Amino acid sequence: MTSNDDKLLERFFSRAAQTEIPDGGFGRRVMRSLPEDALRRVRLWRAFCVVACVVICVALRLWRGALAALASAAESLVAAGRPETLLLHMAACVAVAVAWVVSEALRSERTGW
């Protein structure tokens, strides 16, 4: 799409978003009837799933395969004569993982899910 098409779409949807549909208070009643503890249940379910995944990984000893792959990668980088690259790659992987976890946590807090 061209930028002109994008502008037309934005203008169309901005007008549609400002339009209020009369519903006789239905939307307000629905929002009041929703359970207040829904967010707490979502967090409990998420915590349960994380714990279940950790238990499964430990029970199946999946961490051994991950450590073996990491050791193999480290050995190949050291054998290539570039041990400083190993630290750089590991630091980059950790940074990406931490950034992803933080962004997911922030997203879930903003949306509530």
Side-chain angles (χ1 to χ4, degrees):
M1 281 195 204
T2 64
S3 66
N4 189 32
D5 291 338
D6 291 338
K7 289 177 185 176
L8 288 172
L9 285 172
E10 285 177 17
R11 191 168 12 142
F12 173 76
F13 285 116
S14 69
R15 277 188 267 164
Q18 294 171 358
T19 304
E20 187 172 326
I21 300 171
D23 64 355
F26 175 76
R28 206 172 14 262
R29 287 192 309 272
V30 168
M31 293 306 287
R32 274 191 305 224
S33 70
L34 293 175
E36 292 181 16
D37 63 338
L39 184 58
R40 184 173 51 92
R41 281 192 248 156
V42 167
R43 288 180 177 159
L44 285 173
W45 177 247
R46 187 179 297 154
F48 170 77
C49 290
V50 167
V51 169
C53 288
V54 168
V55 167
I56 289 170
C57 287
V58 169
L60 296 177
R61 297 183 178 156
L62 296 177
W63 50 270
R64 285 185 179 177
L67 288 178
L70 188 61
S72 174
E75 288 173 3
S76 65
L77 285 172
V78 171
R82 301 197 54 146
E84 68 279 355
T85 307
L86 171 67
L87 289 174
L88 184 62
H89 284 140
M90 288 187 177
C93 289
V94 168
V96 167
V98 167
W100 180 75
V101 167
V102 168
S103 70
E104 285 297 309
L106 291 174
R107 183 191 59 80
S108 69
E109 286 300 316
R110 273 194 311 267
T111 61
W113 299 102

CSV table of all heavy atoms in Angstrom, one decimal, residues 8-58:
chain,number,residue,atom,x,y,z
A,8,LEU,N,-5.7,7.3,4.2
A,8,LEU,CA,-7.1,7.2,4.0
A,8,LEU,C,-7.7,6.2,5.0
A,8,LEU,O,-8.8,6.4,5.6
A,8,LEU,CB,-7.5,6.7,2.6
A,8,LEU,CG,-7.3,7.8,1.5
A,8,LEU,CD1,-7.4,7.2,0.1
A,8,LEU,CD2,-8.3,8.9,1.7
A,9,LEU,N,-7.0,5.1,5.2
A,9,LEU,CA,-7.5,4.1,6.2
A,9,LEU,C,-7.5,4.6,7.6
A,9,LEU,O,-8.4,4.4,8.4
A,9,LEU,CB,-6.6,2.8,6.1
A,9,LEU,CG,-6.8,1.9,4.9
A,9,LEU,CD1,-5.7,0.8,4.8
A,9,LEU,CD2,-8.2,1.3,4.9
A,10,GLU,N,-6.4,5.3,7.9
A,10,GLU,CA,-6.4,5.9,9.3
A,10,GLU,C,-7.5,6.9,9.5
A,10,GLU,O,-8.1,6.9,10.6
A,10,GLU,CB,-5.0,6.6,9.5
A,10,GLU,CG,-3.9,5.6,9.7
A,10,GLU,CD,-2.5,6.4,9.9
A,10,GLU,OE1,-2.5,7.6,10.1
A,10,GLU,OE2,-1.5,5.7,9.7
A,11,ARG,N,-7.8,7.7,8.5
A,11,ARG,CA,-8.9,8.7,8.7
A,11,ARG,C,-10.2,8.0,8.8
A,11,ARG,O,-11.0,8.3,9.6
A,11,ARG,CB,-8.9,9.6,7.4
A,11,ARG,CG,-9.8,10.8,7.7
A,11,ARG,CD,-9.6,11.9,6.6
A,11,ARG,NE,-8.8,11.5,5.5
A,11,ARG,CZ,-9.1,11.9,4.2
A,11,ARG,NH1,-10.1,12.6,4.0
A,11,ARG,NH2,-8.3,11.5,3.3
A,12,PHE,N,-10.4,6.9,8.0
A,12,PHE,CA,-11.7,6.2,8.0
A,12,PHE,C,-11.9,5.5,9.4
A,12,PHE,O,-12.9,5.7,10.0
A,12,PHE,CB,-11.7,5.1,6.9
A,12,PHE,CG,-12.9,4.2,7.1
A,12,PHE,CD1,-14.1,4.6,6.7
A,12,PHE,CD2,-12.7,2.9,7.6
A,12,PHE,CE1,-15.2,3.8,6.8
A,12,PHE,CE2,-13.8,2.1,7.7
A,12,PHE,CZ,-15.1,2.5,7.3
A,13,PHE,N,-10.8,4.9,9.9
A,13,PHE,CA,-11.0,4.2,11.2
A,13,PHE,C,-11.0,5.1,12.4
A,13,PHE,O,-11.6,4.8,13.4
A,13,PHE,CB,-9.9,3.1,11.3
A,13,PHE,CG,-10.1,1.9,10.5
A,13,PHE,CD1,-9.3,1.5,9.4
A,13,PHE,CD2,-11.3,1.1,10.7
A,13,PHE,CE1,-9.5,0.4,8.7
A,13,PHE,CE2,-11.5,0.0,9.9
A,13,PHE,CZ,-10.7,-0.4,8.9
A,14,SER,N,-10.4,6.3,12.2
A,14,SER,CA,-10.4,7.2,13.4
A,14,SER,C,-11.8,7.8,13.5
A,14,SER,O,-12.3,7.9,14.6
A,14,SER,CB,-9.4,8.4,13.2
A,14,SER,OG,-9.8,9.2,12.1
A,15,ARG,N,-12.5,8.0,12.4
A,15,ARG,CA,-13.9,8.4,12.5
A,15,ARG,C,-14.8,7.3,13.0
A,15,ARG,O,-15.7,7.6,13.8
A,15,ARG,CB,-14.4,8.8,11.1
A,15,ARG,CG,-14.0,10.3,10.7
A,15,ARG,CD,-14.7,10.7,9.5
A,15,ARG,NE,-13.8,10.4,8.4
A,15,ARG,CZ,-14.1,10.3,7.1
A,15,ARG,NH1,-15.3,10.5,6.7
A,15,ARG,NH2,-13.2,10.0,6.2
A,16,ALA,N,-14.5,6.1,12.6
A,16,ALA,CA,-15.3,5.0,13.1
A,16,ALA,C,-15.1,4.8,14.6
A,16,ALA,O,-16.1,4.4,15.3
A,16,ALA,CB,-15.0,3.7,12.3
A,17,ALA,N,-13.9,5.0,15.1
A,17,ALA,CA,-13.6,4.8,16.5
A,17,ALA,C,-14.3,5.9,17.4
A,17,ALA,O,-14.6,5.6,18.5
A,17,ALA,CB,-12.1,4.8,16.8
A,18,GLN,N,-14.6,7.0,16.8
A,18,GLN,CA,-15.2,8.1,17.5
A,18,GLN,C,-16.7,8.0,17.5
A,18,GLN,O,-17.4,8.6,18.3
A,18,GLN,CB,-14.8,9.5,16.9
A,18,GLN,CG,-13.4,9.8,17.1
A,18,GLN,CD,-13.0,11.0,16.3
A,18,GLN,OE1,-13.8,11.6,15.6
A,18,GLN,NE2,-11.7,11.4,16.4
A,19,THR,N,-17.3,7.1,16.7
A,19,THR,CA,-18.7,6.9,16.6
A,19,THR,C,-19.1,6.1,17.8
A,19,THR,O,-18.6,5.0,18.1
A,19,THR,CB,-19.1,6.2,15.3
A,19,THR,OG1,-18.6,6.9,14.2
A,19,THR,CG2,-20.6,6.0,15.2
A,20,GLU,N,-20.1,6.5,18.5
A,20,GLU,CA,-20.6,5.8,19.7
A,20,GLU,C,-22.0,5.2,19.3
A,20,GLU,O,-22.9,5.9,18.8
A,20,GLU,CB,-20.8,6.7,20.9
A,20,GLU,CG,-21.2,6.0,22.1
A,20,GLU,CD,-21.2,6.8,23.3
A,20,GLU,OE1,-20.3,7.8,23.4
A,20,GLU,OE2,-22.0,6.6,24.2
A,21,ILE,N,-22.1,3.9,19.5
A,21,ILE,CA,-23.3,3.2,19.2
A,21,ILE,C,-24.2,3.1,20.5
A,21,ILE,O,-23.7,2.6,21.5
A,21,ILE,CB,-23.0,1.8,18.7
A,21,ILE,CG1,-22.2,1.9,17.5
A,21,ILE,CG2,-24.3,1.0,18.5
A,21,ILE,CD1,-21.6,0.5,17.0
A,22,PRO,N,-25.4,3.7,20.4
A,22,PRO,CA,-26.2,3.6,21.6
A,22,PRO,C,-26.6,2.2,22.0
A,22,PRO,O,-27.1,1.5,21.1
A,22,PRO,CB,-27.4,4.5,21.3
A,22,PRO,CG,-27.5,4.5,19.8
A,22,PRO,CD,-26.1,4.3,19.3
A,23,ASP,N,-26.4,1.8,23.2
A,23,ASP,CA,-26.7,0.4,23.6
A,23,ASP,C,-27.6,0.4,24.9
A,23,ASP,O,-27.8,-0.7,25.5
A,23,ASP,CB,-25.4,-0.4,23.8
A,23,ASP,CG,-24.5,0.1,24.9
A,23,ASP,OD1,-24.8,1.1,25.5
A,23,ASP,OD2,-23.5,-0.6,25.2
A,24,GLY,N,-28.0,1.5,25.3
A,24,GLY,CA,-28.9,1.5,26.5
A,24,GLY,C,-28.2,1.1,27.8
A,24,GLY,O,-28.8,0.5,28.7
A,25,GLY,N,-26.9,1.3,27.9
A,25,GLY,CA,-26.1,0.9,29.1
A,25,GLY,C,-25.7,-0.6,29.1
A,25,GLY,O,-25.2,-1.0,30.1
A,26,PHE,N,-25.9,-1.3,28.0
A,26,PHE,CA,-25.6,-2.7,28.0
A,26,PHE,C,-24.1,-2.9,28.2
A,26,PHE,O,-23.7,-3.8,29.0
A,26,PHE,CB,-26.0,-3.3,26.6
A,26,PHE,CG,-25.6,-4.7,26.4
A,26,PHE,CD1,-26.3,-5.7,27.1
A,26,PHE,CD2,-24.5,-5.1,25.6
A,26,PHE,CE1,-25.9,-7.1,26.9
A,26,PHE,CE2,-24.1,-6.4,25.5
A,26,PHE,CZ,-24.8,-7.4,26.1
A,27,GLY,N,-23.3,-2.2,27.5
A,27,GLY,CA,-21.8,-2.4,27.7
A,27,GLY,C,-21.4,-2.1,29.1
A,27,GLY,O,-20.5,-2.9,29.6
A,28,ARG,N,-21.9,-1.1,29.7
A,28,ARG,CA,-21.6,-0.8,31.1
A,28,ARG,C,-22.0,-2.0,32.0
A,28,ARG,O,-21.3,-2.4,32.9
A,28,ARG,CB,-22.2,0.5,31.5
A,28,ARG,CG,-21.5,1.2,32.6
A,28,ARG,CD,-22.1,2.6,32.9
A,28,ARG,NE,-23.4,3.0,32.3
A,28,ARG,CZ,-23.5,3.7,31.2
A,28,ARG,NH1,-22.5,4.1,30.5
A,28,ARG,NH2,-24.7,4.0,30.7
A,29,ARG,N,-23.2,-2.5,31.8
A,29,ARG,CA,-23.7,-3.7,32.6
A,29,ARG,C,-22.8,-4.9,32.4
A,29,ARG,O,-22.5,-5.6,33.4
A,29,ARG,CB,-25.1,-4.0,32.3
A,29,ARG,CG,-26.1,-2.9,32.8
A,29,ARG,CD,-27.5,-3.4,32.7
A,29,ARG,NE,-27.9,-3.9,31.4
A,29,ARG,CZ,-28.4,-3.1,30.4
A,29,ARG,NH1,-28.6,-1.8,30.6
A,29,ARG,NH2,-28.8,-3.7,29.3
A,30,VAL,N,-22.4,-5.1,31.2
A,30,VAL,CA,-21.5,-6.3,30.9
A,30,VAL,C,-20.2,-6.1,31.7
A,30,VAL,O,-19.7,-7.1,32.3
A,30,VAL,CB,-21.3,-6.5,29.4
A,30,VAL,CG1,-20.2,-7.5,29.1
A,30,VAL,CG2,-22.6,-6.9,28.8
A,31,MET,N,-19.6,-5.0,31.6
A,31,MET,CA,-18.3,-4.7,32.2
A,31,MET,C,-18.4,-4.9,33.8
A,31,MET,O,-17.5,-5.4,34.4
A,31,MET,CB,-17.8,-3.4,31.9
A,31,MET,CG,-17.4,-3.2,30.4
A,31,MET,SD,-16.3,-4.5,29.8
A,31,MET,CE,-14.8,-3.9,30.6
A,32,ARG,N,-19.6,-4.5,34.3
A,32,ARG,CA,-19.8,-4.6,35.8
A,32,ARG,C,-20.0,-6.1,36.2
A,32,ARG,O,-19.6,-6.5,37.3
A,32,ARG,CB,-21.0,-3.8,36.3
A,32,ARG,CG,-20.6,-2.4,36.6
A,32,ARG,CD,-21.8,-1.8,37.3
A,32,ARG,NE,-23.0,-1.9,36.4
A,32,ARG,CZ,-23.8,-1.0,36.2
A,32,ARG,NH1,-23.7,0.2,36.7
A,32,ARG,NH2,-24.9,-1.2,35.4
A,33,SER,N,-20.5,-6.9,35.3
A,33,SER,CA,-20.8,-8.3,35.6
A,33,SER,C,-19.6,-9.2,35.4
A,33,SER,O,-19.6,-10.3,35.9
A,33,SER,CB,-22.0,-8.8,34.7
A,33,SER,OG,-21.5,-9.0,33.4
A,34,LEU,N,-18.5,-8.7,34.8
A,34,LEU,CA,-17.3,-9.5,34.7
A,34,LEU,C,-16.7,-9.8,36.0
A,34,LEU,O,-16.7,-8.9,36.9
A,34,LEU,CB,-16.3,-8.9,33.8
A,34,LEU,CG,-16.7,-8.7,32.3
A,34,LEU,CD1,-15.7,-7.9,31.5
A,34,LEU,CD2,-16.9,-10.1,31.7
A,35,PRO,N,-16.2,-11.0,36.3
A,35,PRO,CA,-15.6,-11.3,37.6
A,35,PRO,C,-14.3,-10.4,37.8
A,35,PRO,O,-13.5,-10.3,36.9
A,35,PRO,CB,-15.2,-12.8,37.5
A,35,PRO,CG,-15.2,-13.1,36.0
A,35,PRO,CD,-16.1,-12.1,35.3
A,36,GLU,N,-14.2,-9.9,39.0
A,36,GLU,CA,-13.0,-9.1,39.3
A,36,GLU,C,-11.8,-9.9,39.5
A,36,GLU,O,-10.7,-9.3,39.4
A,36,GLU,CB,-13.3,-8.3,40.6
A,36,GLU,CG,-14.4,-7.2,40.4
A,36,GLU,CD,-14.7,-6.4,41.7
A,36,GLU,OE1,-13.9,-6.5,42.6
A,36,GLU,OE2,-15.7,-5.8,41.7
A,37,ASP,N,-11.9,-11.1,39.8
A,37,ASP,CA,-10.7,-11.9,40.1
A,37,ASP,C,-10.2,-12.6,38.8
A,37,ASP,O,-9.4,-13.5,38.9
A,37,ASP,CB,-11.0,-13.0,41.2
A,37,ASP,CG,-12.0,-14.0,40.8
A,37,ASP,OD1,-12.8,-13.7,39.9
A,37,ASP,OD2,-12.1,-15.1,41.4
A,38,ALA,N,-10.6,-12.2,37.6
A,38,ALA,CA,-10.2,-12.8,36.4
A,38,ALA,C,-8.7,-12.7,36.2
A,38,ALA,O,-8.0,-13.6,35.8
A,38,ALA,CB,-10.9,-12.2,35.2
A,39,LEU,N,-8.1,-11.5,36.5
A,39,LEU,CA,-6.7,-11.3,36.4
A,39,LEU,C,-5.9,-12.1,37.3
A,39,LEU,O,-4.9,-12.7,37.0
A,39,LEU,CB,-6.4,-9.8,36.6
A,39,LEU,CG,-4.9,-9.4,36.4
A,39,LEU,CD1,-4.5,-9.7,35.0
A,39,LEU,CD2,-4.7,-7.9,36.7
A,40,ARG,N,-6.4,-12.3,38.5
A,40,ARG,CA,-5.8,-13.2,39.5
A,40,ARG,C,-5.7,-14.6,39.0
A,40,ARG,O,-4.7,-15.3,39.1
A,40,ARG,CB,-6.5,-13.1,40.9
A,40,ARG,CG,-5.8,-13.9,41.9
A,40,ARG,CD,-6.4,-13.7,43.3
A,40,ARG,NE,-7.8,-13.8,43.3
A,40,ARG,CZ,-8.4,-15.0,43.6
A,40,ARG,NH1,-7.7,-16.0,43.9
A,40,ARG,NH2,-9.8,-15.1,43.6
A,41,ARG,N,-6.8,-15.1,38.4
A,41,ARG,CA,-6.9,-16.4,37.9
A,41,ARG,C,-5.9,-16.6,36.7
A,41,ARG,O,-5.3,-17.6,36.6
A,41,ARG,CB,-8.3,-16.8,37.4
A,41,ARG,CG,-9.2,-17.1,38.5
A,41,ARG,CD,-10.5,-17.7,38.0
A,41,ARG,NE,-11.5,-16.8,38.3
A,41,ARG,CZ,-12.7,-16.7,37.7
A,41,ARG,NH1,-12.9,-17.4,36.7
A,41,ARG,NH2,-13.6,-15.8,38.1
A,42,VAL,N,-5.8,-15.6,35.9
A,42,VAL,CA,-4.9,-15.7,34.7
A,42,VAL,C,-3.4,-15.8,35.3
A,42,VAL,O,-2.7,-16.6,34.8
A,42,VAL,CB,-5.0,-14.4,33.8
A,42,VAL,CG1,-3.9,-14.3,32.9
A,42,VAL,CG2,-6.3,-14.5,33.1
A,43,ARG,N,-3.1,-15.0,36.3
A,43,ARG,CA,-1.7,-15.1,36.8
A,43,ARG,C,-1.5,-16.4,37.5
A,43,ARG,O,-0.4,-17.0,37.4
A,43,ARG,CB,-1.5,-13.9,37.8
A,43,ARG,CG,-1.4,-12.6,37.2
A,43,ARG,CD,-1.2,-11.5,38.2
A,43,ARG,NE,-1.0,-10.2,37.5
A,43,ARG,CZ,-1.2,-9.1,38.0
A,43,ARG,NH1,-1.6,-9.0,39.3
A,43,ARG,NH2,-1.0,-8.0,37.3
A,44,LEU,N,-2.5,-16.9,38.2
A,44,LEU,CA,-2.3,-18.3,38.8
A,44,LEU,C,-2.1,-19.3,37.8
A,44,LEU,O,-1.3,-20.3,37.9
A,44,LEU,CB,-3.5,-18.6,39.7
A,44,LEU,CG,-3.6,-17.9,41.0
A,44,LEU,CD1,-4.9,-18.2,41.8
A,44,LEU,CD2,-2.4,-18.3,41.9
A,45,TRP,N,-2.9,-19.3,36.7
A,45,TRP,CA,-2.8,-20.3,35.6
A,45,TRP,C,-1.4,-20.2,35.0
A,45,TRP,O,-0.8,-21.2,34.7
A,45,TRP,CB,-3.9,-20.1,34.6
A,45,TRP,CG,-3.8,-21.0,33.4
A,45,TRP,CD1,-3.5,-20.6,32.1
A,45,TRP,CD2,-3.9,-22.4,33.4
A,45,TRP,NE1,-3.4,-21.8,31.3
A,45,TRP,CE2,-3.7,-22.8,32.1
A,45,TRP,CE3,-4.2,-23.3,34.4
A,45,TRP,CZ2,-3.8,-24.2,31.8
A,45,TRP,CZ3,-4.3,-24.7,34.1
A,45,TRP,CH2,-4.1,-25.1,32.8
A,46,ARG,N,-0.9,-19.0,34.7
A,46,ARG,CA,0.4,-18.8,34.1
A,46,ARG,C,1.5,-19.3,35.0
A,46,ARG,O,2.4,-20.0,34.6
A,46,ARG,CB,0.6,-17.3,33.9
A,46,ARG,CG,1.9,-17.0,33.1
A,46,ARG,CD,2.1,-15.5,32.8
A,46,ARG,NE,1.0,-15.0,32.0
A,46,ARG,CZ,0.6,-13.8,32.0
A,46,ARG,NH1,1.2,-12.9,32.8
A,46,ARG,NH2,-0.4,-13.4,31.2
A,47,ALA,N,1.4,-19.1,36.3
A,47,ALA,CA,2.4,-19.6,37.3
A,47,ALA,C,2.3,-21.1,37.3
A,47,ALA,O,3.4,-21.8,37.3
A,47,ALA,CB,2.1,-19.0,38.7
A,48,PHE,N,1.1,-21.7,37.3
A,48,PHE,CA,1.0,-23.2,37.3
A,48,PHE,C,1.6,-23.7,36.0
A,48,PHE,O,2.3,-24.8,36.1
A,48,PHE,CB,-0.5,-23.6,37.3
A,48,PHE,CG,-0.7,-25.0,37.0
A,48,PHE,CD1,-0.5,-25.9,38.0
A,48,PHE,CD2,-1.2,-25.5,35.8
A,48,PHE,CE1,-0.7,-27.3,37.8
A,48,PHE,CE2,-1.4,-26.8,35.6
A,48,PHE,CZ,-1.1,-27.7,36.6
A,49,CYS,N,1.4,-23.1,34.9
A,49,CYS,CA,2.0,-23.6,33.6
A,49,CYS,C,3.5,-23.5,33.6
A,49,CYS,O,4.2,-24.5,33.2
A,49,CYS,CB,1.5,-22.8,32.4
A,49,CYS,SG,-0.3,-23.2,32.1
A,50,VAL,N,4.1,-22.5,34.2
A,50,VAL,CA,5.5,-22.3,34.3
A,50,VAL,C,6.1,-23.4,35.2
A,50,VAL,O,7.1,-24.1,34.9
A,50,VAL,CB,5.9,-20.9,34.8
A,50,VAL,CG1,7.4,-20.9,35.2
A,50,VAL,CG2,5.6,-19.9,33.7
A,51,VAL,N,5.5,-23.6,36.3
A,51,VAL,CA,5.9,-24.7,37.3
A,51,VAL,C,5.8,-26.0,36.6
A,51,VAL,O,6.7,-26.9,36.7
A,51,VAL,CB,5.1,-24.6,38.6
A,51,VAL,CG1,5.4,-25.8,39.5
A,51,VAL,CG2,5.5,-23.3,39.3
A,52,ALA,N,4.7,-26.3,35.9
A,52,ALA,CA,4.5,-27.6,35.2
A,52,ALA,C,5.6,-27.8,34.2
A,52,ALA,O,6.2,-28.9,34.1
A,52,ALA,CB,3.2,-27.7,34.6
A,53,CYS,N,6.0,-26.8,33.4
A,53,CYS,CA,7.0,-26.9,32.4
A,53,CYS,C,8.4,-27.2,33.1
A,53,CYS,O,9.1,-28.0,32.6
A,53,CYS,CB,7.1,-25.7,31.6
A,53,CYS,SG,5.7,-25.5,30.4
A,54,VAL,N,8.7,-26.5,34.2
A,54,VAL,CA,9.9,-26.7,34.8
A,54,VAL,C,10.0,-28.2,35.4
A,54,VAL,O,11.0,-28.9,35.2
A,54,VAL,CB,10.1,-25.7,36.0
A,54,VAL,CG1,11.3,-26.1,36.9
A,54,VAL,CG2,10.4,-24.3,35.4
A,55,VAL,N,8.9,-28.6,36.0
A,55,VAL,CA,8.8,-30.0,36.5
A,55,VAL,C,9.0,-31.0,35.4
A,55,VAL,O,9.8,-32.0,35.5
A,55,VAL,CB,7.5,-30.3,37.3
A,55,VAL,CG1,7.3,-31.7,37.6
A,55,VAL,CG2,7.5,-29.4,38.5
A,56,ILE,N,8.4,-30.8,34.2
A,56,ILE,CA,8.5,-31.7,33.1
A,56,ILE,C,9.9,-31.7,32.6
A,56,ILE,O,10.5,-32.8,32.3
A,56,ILE,CB,7.5,-31.4,32.0
A,56,ILE,CG1,6.1,-31.7,32.5
A,56,ILE,CG2,7.8,-32.1,30.7
A,56,ILE,CD1,5.0,-31.2,31.6
A,57,CYS,N,10.5,-30.5,32.5
A,57,CYS,CA,11.9,-30.5,32.0
A,57,CYS,C,12.9,-31.2,32.9
A,57,CYS,O,13.8,-31.9,32.5
A,57,CYS,CB,12.4,-29.0,31.8
A,57,CYS,SG,11.6,-28.2,30.4
A,58,VAL,N,12.7,-31.0,34.2
A,58,VAL,CA,13.5,-31.7,35.2
A,58,VAL,C,13.3,-33.2,35.2
A,58,VAL,O,14.2,-34.0,35.2
A,58,VAL,CB,13.3,-31.1,36.6
A,58,VAL,CG1,14.0,-31.9,37.7
A,58,VAL,CG2,13.9,-29.7,36.6
